[in-house]
Amino acid sequence: MHGFHEGKQMQWYLESVADAGKGWIVDIASAPFVIGRAGDCNLKLIDNRVSRRHSEVRISGDVLWIRDLESTNGTFVNQHKIDQAQLLEVNDMISIGKYKFKVRSTSSSTFFPCSDTICETPSEVLKGQYLSSLEPKLKKLLNRRNVIPHYQPLLRFSDMAKVGYEILGRISDHSMPSNPNELLEIAERLGYATELSSLFREVGVEVGKQLPGSPAMFVNSSKFEIHEVEKLLASMQKIRDMAPSNKVVLEINEKATTKTNDLMILRDSL
């Protein structure tokens, strides 16, 4: 199903809602875009009701979403307090402390190839010293669930109807490999491959279940997970509980297909 898919280059920004003449706008120019009281936040808000790191906004292709960072007073979207990642649309109202913002955007359509989902890991990137330097960053990424889901539309060739989305995972830490296969290879050598692969799936479904029409979601598994089939099944159960209305398709990595006994257990359990 790979080939070309249509995407939108979106430019998102927040417009403050304030008294006449006192409004202002801020571009969401980086991801994650952290909002809070701390000086290193992308948007610093001075208010005792705002936590130091209050919430963060992320961009996944043409999808914008926000999550609360366990703040004291909560993050509100359209006057509803959110308790999980929340998709945002143009004109949605975000409330943080005394501040209110409307979501705004501009966009231009483009076509781009999507042939970069497979890549080999250079051997030099996996040297011991380099791996050791990445381990604390990887643990921090896992603890904070700091991954960015991307949604690649899947089309039926007969009528070009959209039948669902493949969920692809990315990260925003530029000091770590950006290619997911390379990152998973490193995570496997450090003993975190199953946790990282599960995180990509679960965050992707958590956000994707809010897409209109309860679309089918195609989630990936790493070649390492078939060795820990019980953990893979636990992750899939979590996804099913999280998105009971969506059809979910688990794609098995081709390098795992030799483990026939484990595949039979996985099939029967699913």
Side-chain angles (χ1 to χ4, degrees):
M1 291 197 195
H2 294 294
F4 282 80
H5 67 88
E6 184 177 5
K8 294 181 180 180
Q9 294 179 329
M10 306 289 290
Q11 175 59 56
W12 297 95
Y13 59 96
L14 300 178
E15 178 182 352
S16 71
V17 178
D19 296 334
K22 295 182 180 179
W24 44 276
I25 63 172
V26 57
D27 289 334
I28 301 173
S30 63
F33 184 87
V34 180
I35 303 171
R37 214 162 22 89
D40 61 348
C41 290
N42 301 94
L43 176 57
K44 183 178 179 181
L45 302 178
I46 307 301
D47 180 6
N48 289 334
R49 290 171 290 178
V50 177
S51 298
R52 288 182 57 77
R53 292 174 61 86
H54 195 102
S55 55
E56 68 177 10
V57 178
R58 289 186 174 274
I59 302 170
S60 303
D62 62 347
V63 177
L64 188 74
W65 52 281
I66 189 171
R67 68 172 178 174
D68 188 76
L69 297 177
E70 299 182 354
S71 67
T72 301
N73 295 302
T75 301
F76 295 78
V77 176
N78 299 327
Q79 301 182 351
H80 296 287
K81 186 176 182 179
I82 62 174
D83 56 9
Q84 60 183 2
Q86 174 70 48
L87 283 182
L88 294 171
E89 297 181 355
V90 174
N91 292 326
D92 277 349
M93 182 77 74
I94 300 172
S95 301
I96 298 174
K98 69 179 182 180
Y99 296 91
K100 297 183 185 296
F101 303 93
K102 273 195 174 182
V103 177
R104 304 294 193 189
S105 77
T106 58
S107 66
S108 60
S109 295
T110 185
F111 284 88
F112 52 95
C114 43
S115 58
D116 61 345
T117 56
I118 301 225
C119 120
E120 294 298 324
T121 304
S123 57
E124 63 269 16
V125 85
L126 299 178
K127 290 180 179 178
Q129 185 175 2
Y130 180 69
L131 282 173
S132 297
S133 70
L134 290 181
E135 184 168 12
K137 297 177 182 179
L138 182 59
K139 291 173 69 175
K140 182 178 179 181
L141 179 151
L142 292 169
N143 289 334
R144 293 189 173 184
R145 300 176 63 81
N146 204 14
V147 298
I148 306 171
H150 284 241
Y151 301 92
Q152 178 173 300
L154 299 178
L155 307 179
R156 185 169 55 218
F157 283 142
S158 60
D159 56 3
M160 299 307 288
K162 187 183 297 181
V163 297
Y165 295 89
E166 180 180 7
I167 297 176
L168 304 173
R170 298 290 185 268
I171 63 171
S172 60
D173 187 343
H174 300 299
S175 67
M176 300 182 71
S178 59
N179 183 279
N181 295 300
E182 185 175 321
L183 188 63
L184 281 164
E185 189 79 26
I186 290 171
E188 192 273 335
R189 299 209 175 196
L190 292 171
Y192 300 102
T194 297
E195 289 81 357
L196 181 61
S197 185
S198 296
L199 183 60
F200 280 142
R201 279 193 303 272
E202 290 161 15
V203 172
V205 171
E206 180 183 353
V207 177
K209 70 178 182 180
Q210 302 170 61
L211 291 167
S214 298
M217 290 185 281
F218 290 70
V219 297
N220 291 290
S221 61
S222 74
K223 63 183 179 182
F224 315 107
E225 287 183 281
I226 200 65
H227 300 295
E228 299 183 271
V229 67
E230 293 302 325
K231 289 185 179 180
L232 178 55
L233 286 169
S235 175
M236 293 304 296
Q237 183 63 59
K238 186 174 182 179
I239 284 172
R240 173 47 64 221
D241 294 341
M242 187 186 301
S245 300
N246 295 80
K247 180 180 179 181
V248 178
V249 179
L250 176 66
E251 298 189 36
I252 303 299
N253 187 285
E254 61 271 19
K255 293 182 180 180
T257 56
T258 58
K259 305 294 183 181
T260 54
N261 289 337
D262 289 330
L263 285 175
M264 290 174 65
I265 293 172
L266 179 62
R267 179 199 64 189
D268 294 342
S269 299
L270 290 176

